[in-house]
Amino acid sequence: MTAQDARVLLAKGLSCQVDSNLPAKFQVGDHVKAKVIHPKTYTRLPRYIRGKVGTIVKDHGVYVFPDTMGQRLSTKPQHVYSVRFTAQELWGLDASPKDSLYIDLFDDHLEAL
Amino acid sequence: MPSHHHRPESEVALRVKAIESLLVEKGIVDLAALDAIIDTYEHKVGPHIGAQIVAKAWVDPEFKKRLLADGTGAISELGFTGFSSEHMVVVENTPEVHNLIVCTLCSCYPWAILGLPPTWYKSFAYRSRAVIEPRKVLQEFGLEIPEQVEVRVWDSNADLRYLVLPERPDGAEGWSEEDLATLVTRNAMIGAAKVQPPAAADSLVA
């Protein structure tokens, strides 16, 4: 990487989004469950979300999948959704009934309820 | 304590130097490229960019609408795109909702908008506690969130990056966009603080 390459990269960034008409597995409003998986390889599905039930609030479009990219496998593009979990679903009844957590998850992280 | 003695460099600093010289010697890293990157984050990019976005949203309702609907598009109107801010989501603090940004995975952060993340943002304590007990963490930042206010924590673990649009403080009515921008702090754009009213306003009100 030359100094010029570095300047261009910093100014333009590096898009992870893919131009694709791949159909979305889930729609806004769907209730979904985060998969219970424990891969030894890289994943963007954090442990505290696994097995929890949330709601799709937005479809961000199609992005490359870091879980496979991290293993130098295919880019496996798929939809990324903003998923809302209530604080009580994640942490139990001691958590505030008002609060929630939003996290961006990929198709492969989620299953339909 | 004598202050003129040279302290030995920290282990981390020594390790970074050793790695850097190896990468340069092997021709993997070009020193000029490294300097360009360091110069960008030391002198060009920082929270003043995010502050300009916030101030514009405060004075321009149409821009604010676009910013909340499509963060990436609205921010690129101002020319503020860049590495680690390619896909932006802006969330608005209101009297009913308080937003807080974290990355539990590592330290994902909108570099082109806020510069490099502060050390506390990268700490294990913040990354785990912000999701489990956000109200307590905010309290430690000096921010008491009333029970009836909803706290939304955003874990930016994928490729979208988040910016909090803080509430415009009272006491800055009629201020220009440039002046408003000076009130906006980094922590307010992470959700760890509110934007404080200008100090001078107190005496005006009194």
Side-chain angles (χ1 to χ4, degrees):
Chain A
M1 187 190 281
T2 65
Q4 187 51 27
D5 295 338
R7 282 188 204 100
V8 170
L9 176 65
L10 292 181
K12 299 215 152 130
L14 206 62
S15 175
C16 307
Q17 204 164 12
V18 178
D19 195 10
S20 159
N21 50 13
L22 186 83
K25 282 192 189 163
F26 306 101
Q27 308 300 320
V28 170
D30 283 0
H31 294 292
V32 289
K33 186 171 169 177
K35 287 182 184 168
V36 178
I37 47 169
H38 291 85
K40 290 192 168 61
T41 48
Y42 186 80
T43 180
R44 295 277 180 107
L45 175 63
R47 214 169 279 256
Y48 76 93
I49 294 294
R50 297 175 195 167
K52 306 296 184 182
V53 173
T55 311
I56 306 272
V57 292
K58 189 173 179 178
D59 183 345
H60 288 301
V62 178
Y63 288 74
V64 295
F65 190 43
D67 295 30
T68 43
M69 301 267 289
Q71 303 174 62
R72 305 196 170 195
L73 300 174
S74 80
T75 56
K76 214 178 173 192
Q78 49 193 279
H79 283 258
V80 175
Y81 311 89
S82 175
V83 189
R84 174 182 183 268
F85 296 87
T86 66
Q88 292 200 335
E89 166 72 6
L90 297 177
W91 313 113
L93 295 178
D94 284 345
S96 162
K98 294 286 281 183
D99 298 352
S100 51
L101 179 114
Y102 291 72
I103 184 166
D104 297 320
L105 297 173
F106 291 74
D107 268 324
D108 277 7
H109 293 149
L110 300 169
E111 55 195 31
L113 267 189
Chain B
M1 213 165 97
S3 58
H4 295 289
H5 290 273
H6 284 287
R7 286 208 189 142
E9 287 192 82
S10 75
E11 211 174 302
V12 173
L14 288 171
R15 199 183 312 148
V16 168
K17 274 193 176 170
I19 292 170
E20 181 184 327
S21 60
L22 274 173
L23 289 171
V24 170
E25 272 169 40
K26 287 180 185 288
I28 298 170
V29 160
D30 177 350
L31 267 184
L34 209 53
D35 287 343
I37 294 169
I38 293 168
D39 179 57
T40 298
Y41 291 111
E42 277 191 346
H43 303 294
K44 296 180 183 142
V45 171
H48 62 281
I49 291 182
Q52 289 175 60
I53 297 169
V54 168
K56 184 167 181 63
W58 282 345
V59 301
D60 181 344
E62 285 305 313
F63 175 75
K64 178 178 157 181
K65 217 182 279 175
R66 294 198 297 281
L67 186 67
L68 295 175
D70 171 16
T72 312
I75 289 169
S76 67
E77 284 174 31
L78 307 180
F80 299 140
T81 48
F83 187 72
S84 190
S85 305
E86 295 87 352
H87 314 289
M88 289 297 302
V89 176
V90 180
V91 290
E92 184 186 20
N93 280 354
T94 67
E96 293 80 35
V97 176
H98 185 88
N99 296 282
L100 179 68
I101 312 301
V102 62
C103 174
T104 59
L105 182 76
C106 46
S107 53
C108 295
Y109 190 77
W111 288 16
I113 311 294
L114 295 182
L116 298 179
T119 309
W120 58 260
Y121 186 85
K122 299 184 271 186
S123 70
F124 289 124
Y126 178 74
R127 284 158 47 199
S128 53
R129 292 186 56 217
V131 289
I132 302 175
E133 45 179 15
R135 286 171 187 268
K136 192 132 185 282
V137 169
L138 289 169
Q139 226 170 35
E140 290 168 24
F141 274 101
L143 206 54
E144 194 77 46
I145 305 295
E147 219 175 289
Q148 69 276 16
V149 172
E150 175 187 345
V151 174
R152 296 181 185 168
V153 179
W154 299 79
D155 187 352
S156 54
N157 67 316
D159 297 302
L160 294 112
R161 297 289 172 267
Y162 288 83
L163 180 75
V164 172
L165 174 59
E167 288 174 85
R168 180 177 174 159
D170 293 332
E173 291 75 19
W175 281 39
S176 71
E177 205 174 305
E178 290 72 28
D179 288 341
L180 285 169
T182 64
L183 297 174
V184 184
T185 63
R186 176 195 65 199
N187 285 11
M189 292 182 281
I190 303 174
K194 289 190 179 231
V195 173
Q196 296 305 312
D202 291 342
S203 55
L204 286 176
V205 170

